[in-house]
């Protein structure tokens, strides 16, 4: 997957100012490991957030923890800020330069070091692409459950740094739950080795957790010990029509009481989202004959190969139909059909992009408040921005919605984005009033960095700032992202 746009960049003045360090970096990494030519750097310029990248100093591509450590040490000595960079699929601009930093790209650290089936763990370098990790686990006869639309490009280091979610969180938890050990290069270049593959270890602070979800602001993740699970040869997938989001939430409660932890995914999809995808996906087909306002895409799985999960699904969905929770449903008959159902869900990002300007809200709510939020926010947007199209989908099993607003057809993108600033503020207020979060899985990055001051209590901010100061006293690690320096705070 290629980033949506790339922009050539180069900053000769910056380069000249840091000539001594650049010479040391070139000696250390060689010409393959250090990119400073504008035509070669452009491929490291853009992620999926749509933010315009600033001009970095150069791109370093170390191939080992020792090289990462040496690069970060040099940056610390010369006071040059560092931006850790994974697969650049981030939605918050966290891996992009604000201007003047060294981009530290981890893609060359892409070795699966070890799979330990007895301990049910695998050790990987941070630049491994998620799909590569899943394939290596499967080849050894185990399952690594983290799954997201960008898994062909995003890297484990990026997944851990954003505490990524995805479609299997309901059953397996988010990226944080996948980690038993971590290796991190700290802001002064020292290597913090926490690579224990232990499920129980009560010997003080669990330091690895600090770096998960820290978006590269506390150090560079270089290796991880990941938790594996049994394969799930029995599985069944259904596309279900429901009347409303509250019916979907009620259906989840009903299903959980009957099949419990077998439900691995439970995705909510609105009719406008399906129509948008169908308009841009030539092979896409509506799985049901009649249109319905809302859908659920659910996958159940089990490690017992002989279990007839399809028959069980048919029976339980039949009960739900009789109870009036479900309007219609179809169960996938083949792996190809499973793929077709999921492709409708996974193509939404590209379909949205093709329709013009879009403002995204990656939010989480208590499940009991999802329907109320959708009613209130929908009414507010209809009354405020005539013609704006609300596209809703998400991992509703975790209370995580992607609440996206597309520009009215024919409107000027700039006017729409301007008008959306106030609308988004109100949407986020509604989320907070209902006890939700304004960033469920994409992180704060640079897009939402300023909002941390409004989101966190004074005490929370004080502890976060103390942690940042202790680990990165020069404020060099991903400066200006997630937790900007208080002096950078907007009035
Ligand atoms: C089509 C599509 C679908 C997506 N679906 C989901 C989804 O379902 N759930 C979800 O959570 N996200 C989703 N995302 C967002 C994105 O894929 C995740 O945020 C992913 O975890 C980012 O990984 P990356 O390697 O691309 O990180 P990048 O974008 O390169 O970086 C993200 C952040 O992590 C930091 N970082 C990267 N590597 C390291 C490292 N080794 N050490 C320290 N910091 C590092 C960067 O500085 C940056 O702050 C989706 C994106 C796309 C394009």
């Amino acid at each position: 997957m290629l980033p949506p746009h790339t922009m050539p960049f180069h900053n000769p003045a910056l380069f000249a100012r840091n000539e001594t360090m650049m010479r040391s970096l070139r000696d250390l990494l060689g010409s393959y490991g250090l990119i400073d030519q504008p035509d070669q750097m452009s491929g490291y310029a853009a992620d999926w957030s749509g933010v315009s990248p600033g001009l970095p100093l150069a791109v370093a591509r170390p191939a080992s923890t020792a090289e990462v450590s040496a690069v970060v040490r040099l940056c610390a000595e010369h006071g040059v800020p560092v931006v850790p960079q994974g697969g650049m699929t981030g939605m918050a601009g966290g891996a992009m330069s604000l201007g003047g930093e060294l981009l530290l790209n981890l893609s060359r650290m892409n070795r699966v070091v070890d799979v330990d089936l007895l301990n049910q763990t695998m050790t990987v370098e941070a630049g491994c692409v998620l799909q590569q990790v899943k394939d290596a686990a499967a080849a050894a006869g185990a399952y690594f459950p983290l799954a997201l639309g960008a898994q062909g490009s995003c890297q484990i280091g990026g997944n851990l740094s954003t505490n990524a979610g995805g479609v299997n969180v309901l059953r397996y938890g988010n990226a944080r739950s996948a980690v038993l050990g971590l290796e991190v290069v700290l802001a002064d270049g020292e290597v913090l080795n926490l690579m224990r593959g232990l499920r129980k270890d009560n010997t003080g602070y669990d330091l690895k957790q600090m770096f998960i979800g820290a978006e590269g602001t506390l150090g560079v993740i270089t290796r991880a010990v990941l938790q594996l699970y049994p394969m799930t040869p029995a599985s069944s997938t259904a596309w279900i029509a429901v009347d409303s989001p509250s019916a979907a939430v009620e259906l989840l409660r009903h299903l959980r009481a009957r099949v419990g932890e077998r439900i691995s995914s439970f995705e909510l999809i609105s009719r406008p989202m399906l129509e948008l995808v169908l308009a841009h996906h030539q092979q896409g087909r509506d799985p049901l004959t009649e249109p319905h306002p809302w859908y659920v895409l659910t996958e159940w799985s089990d490690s017992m190969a002989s279990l007839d999960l399809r028959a069980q699904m048919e029976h339980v969905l039949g009960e739900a139909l009789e109870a009036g929770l479900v309007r219609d449903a179809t169960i996938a008959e083949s792996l190809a059909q499973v793929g077709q159902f999921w492709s409708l869900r996974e193509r939404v990002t590209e379909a949205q992009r093709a329709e013009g300007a879009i403002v995204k809200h990656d939010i989480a709510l208590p499940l009991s408040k999802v329907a109320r939020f959708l009613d209130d926010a929908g009414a507010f947007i209809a009354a405020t921005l005539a013609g704006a199209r609300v596209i809703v989908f998400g991992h509703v099993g975790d209370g995580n919605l992607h609440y996206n607003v597309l520009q009215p057809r024919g409107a000027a993108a700039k006017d729409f984005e301007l008008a959306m600033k106030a609308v988004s503020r109100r949407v986020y207020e509604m989320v907070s009033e209902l006890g939700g979060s304004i960033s469920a899985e994409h992180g704060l990055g640079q897009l939402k960095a300023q909002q941390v001051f409004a989101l966190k209590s004074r005490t929370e901010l004080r502890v976060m700032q103390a942690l940042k100061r202790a680990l990165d006293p020069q404020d060099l690690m991903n400066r200006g992202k997630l937790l900007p320096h208080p002096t950078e705070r907007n009035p």
Side-chain angles (χ1 to χ4, degrees):
M1 184 191 296
L2 283 173
H5 57 92
T6 53
M7 181 194 280
F9 54 81
H10 189 46
N11 194 337
L14 248 183
F15 209 80
R17 209 163 53 235
N18 294 286
E19 207 178 324
T20 318
M21 188 184 101
M22 292 308 297
R23 224 176 298 124
S24 307
L25 278 179
R26 207 170 293 117
D27 290 347
L28 178 73
L29 300 172
S31 55
Y32 192 63
L34 183 70
I35 299 178
D36 51 19
Q37 297 307 307
D39 56 328
Q40 292 167 10
M41 285 204 284
S42 61
Y44 300 84
D47 65 5
W48 282 78
S49 62
V51 301
S52 303
L55 295 173
L57 176 61
V59 184
R61 298 174 69 239
S64 65
T65 300
E67 285 187 1
V68 174
S69 162
V71 169
V72 174
R73 199 180 294 278
L74 267 174
C75 287
E77 280 164 15
H78 292 266
V80 170
V82 177
V83 177
Q85 193 176 68
M88 292 180 287
T89 67
M91 298 283 202
M96 297 296 100
S97 168
L98 297 176
E101 309 96 329
L102 183 77
L103 295 179
L104 201 158
N105 184 286
L106 275 293
S107 356
R108 287 177 72 207
M109 291 193 59
N110 60 359
R111 285 165 289 247
V112 173
V113 179
D114 172 49
V115 179
D116 181 347
L117 284 182
L118 285 181
N119 198 38
Q120 287 283 287
T121 52
M122 69 195 292
T123 302
V124 301
E125 290 185 330
C128 284
V129 169
L130 175 55
Q131 186 64 56
Q132 175 196 355
V133 171
K134 294 174 77 68
D135 289 347
Y143 181 55
F144 183 64
L146 191 65
L148 38 139
Q151 67 192 33
S153 306
C154 61
Q155 298 174 4
I156 282 296
N159 297 149
L160 301 186
S161 299
T162 55
N163 187 25
V167 295
N168 284 337
V169 173
L170 190 60
R171 177 162 175 182
Y172 296 99
N174 45 21
R176 191 181 293 285
S177 332
V179 186
L180 295 182
L182 212 62
E183 180 185 80
V184 182
V185 171
L186 300 174
D188 59 2
E190 202 171 325
V191 180
L192 176 64
N193 187 328
L194 307 166
M195 293 287 282
R196 303 176 194 103
L198 298 177
R199 287 172 179 79
K200 287 189 161 182
D201 180 15
N202 274 348
T203 53
Y205 308 137
D206 190 354
L207 296 182
K208 66 179 180 298
Q209 296 297 345
M210 284 192 313
F211 301 94
I212 301 171
E215 301 182 48
T217 58
L218 299 178
V220 185
I221 295 175
T222 42
R223 286 192 303 156
V225 182
L226 304 175
Q227 182 152 220
L228 296 175
Y229 291 84
M231 299 278 259
T232 53
S235 77
S236 194
T237 305
W239 184 275
I240 303 168
V242 292
D243 279 341
S244 62
S246 54
V249 172
E250 184 56 31
L251 175 64
L252 176 61
R253 195 190 60 78
H254 178 89
L255 298 180
R256 269 181 157 160
R258 281 149 186 85
V259 287
E261 67 289 343
R262 289 201 178 109
I263 307 168
S264 44
S265 309
F266 195 85
E267 300 284 301
L268 183 71
I269 291 165
S270 65
R271 178 74 197 173
M273 185 213 113
L274 177 63
E275 284 175 1
L276 188 75
V277 172
L278 291 175
H280 293 278
H281 177 17
Q282 280 186 346
Q283 282 85 45
R285 225 167 267 126
D286 187 339
L288 298 172
T289 45
E290 298 290 322
H292 295 271
W294 293 92
Y295 303 96
V296 165
L297 172 58
T298 186
E299 188 158 296
W300 303 359
S301 58
D302 199 280
S303 49
M304 191 188 278
S306 58
L307 191 73
D308 190 349
L309 216 44
R310 192 192 187 287
Q312 203 170 76
M313 190 177 246
E314 205 170 323
H315 174 71
V316 174
L317 287 182
E319 281 179 350
L321 199 75
E322 274 173 30
L325 289 172
V326 164
R327 285 288 150 225
D328 197 2
T330 175
I331 300 176
E333 295 294 345
S334 61
L335 277 181
Q337 209 177 6
V338 171
Q340 283 161 18
F341 288 0
W342 277 106
S343 77
L344 296 173
R345 166 68 179 82
E346 280 157 7
R347 284 172 184 254
V348 63
T349 304
E350 274 138 333
Q352 288 176 143
R353 202 177 283 284
E355 287 279 316
I358 179 156
V359 174
K360 298 180 179 177
H361 308 89
D362 159 41
I363 56 174
L365 291 150
L367 273 176
S368 49
K369 302 284 168 49
V370 165
R372 160 104 183 269
F373 166 79
L374 288 173
D375 286 348
D376 292 356
F380 169 69
I381 286 172
T384 318
L385 263 179
R389 293 166 286 166
V390 176
I391 304 293
V392 183
F393 58 97
H395 319 295
V396 73
D398 324 316
N400 175 192
L401 294 179
H402 297 301
Y403 191 81
N404 298 344
V405 186
L406 265 175
Q407 66 169 71
R409 288 195 176 87
K414 283 256 167 314
D415 296 345
F416 166 73
E417 279 163 358
L418 204 66
M420 272 306 292
K421 281 197 185 338
V423 174
S424 281
R425 253 197 312 277
R426 181 63 199 131
V427 167
Y428 286 143
E429 275 168 21
M430 288 177 175
V431 171
S432 296
E433 284 159 15
L434 292 171
S437 166
I438 68 152
S439 180
E441 59 178 14
H442 294 159
L444 297 174
Q446 52 174 298
L447 273 184
K448 294 184 185 168
Q450 286 295 333
Q451 301 194 28
V452 77
F453 298 110
L455 287 172
K456 305 283 180 187
S457 69
R458 275 177 55 170
T459 314
E460 250 178 311
L461 278 173
R462 188 171 63 75
V463 174
M464 284 172 71
Q465 281 159 344
L467 201 61
K468 174 74 176 166
R469 266 195 310 275
L471 288 177
D472 181 16
Q474 292 192 79
D475 191 17
L476 294 180
M477 296 307 308
N478 224 356
R479 176 184 281 179
K481 318 281 176 58
L482 189 152
L483 181 66
H485 193 274
T487 54
E488 293 168 43
R489 184 177 176 167
N490 281 344

